[in-house]
């Protein structure tokens, strides 16, 4: 007699138990992949509640000094 694989919509919990035993790589990759959107919704508010503040963004340009620029002399070729 051949093994019958359970259908997902007929019994989701039974199917998840079967897939955890028979195909653990697929099962756990789906579980880990499903936690991504969940973490996206829960981690930032949790960090804010714990007092974590994001670092200020790094400057993208060099700051221009105030006032007129000094001319360089003495380096003529």
């Amino acid at each position: 007699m051949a093994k019958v694989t359970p259908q997902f919509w007929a019994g989701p919990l039974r199917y998840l138990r079967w897939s955890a035993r028979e195909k653990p790589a697929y099962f756990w990759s789906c579980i880990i992949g499903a936690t991504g959107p969940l973490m996206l919704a829960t981690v930032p508010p949790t960090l804010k509640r714990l007092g974590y503040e994001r670092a200020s963004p790094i400057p993208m340009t060099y700051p221009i000094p105030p006032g007129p620029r000094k001319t360089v002399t003495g380096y003529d070729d």
Side-chain angles (χ1 to χ4, degrees), residues 2-74:
K3 279 182 143 179
V4 179
T5 59
Q7 297 297 318
F8 179 76
W9 297 112
L13 294 176
R14 182 176 172 212
Y15 180 80
L16 290 175
R17 281 192 316 233
W18 173 84
S19 63
R21 266 192 322 266
E22 298 294 325
K23 300 183 178 196
Y26 294 142
F27 175 77
W28 287 110
S29 64
C30 290
I31 297 296
I32 291 170
T35 60
L38 179 67
M39 291 178 74
L40 185 64
T42 57
V43 169
T46 304
L47 289 178
K48 192 172 187 179
R49 192 176 313 125
L50 292 174
Y52 176 77
E53 293 182 13
R54 294 194 68 139
S56 59
I58 59 170
M60 300 303 286
T61 60
Y62 187 78
I64 299 175
R69 293 188 174 202
K70 299 174 186 170
T71 57
V72 180
T73 58

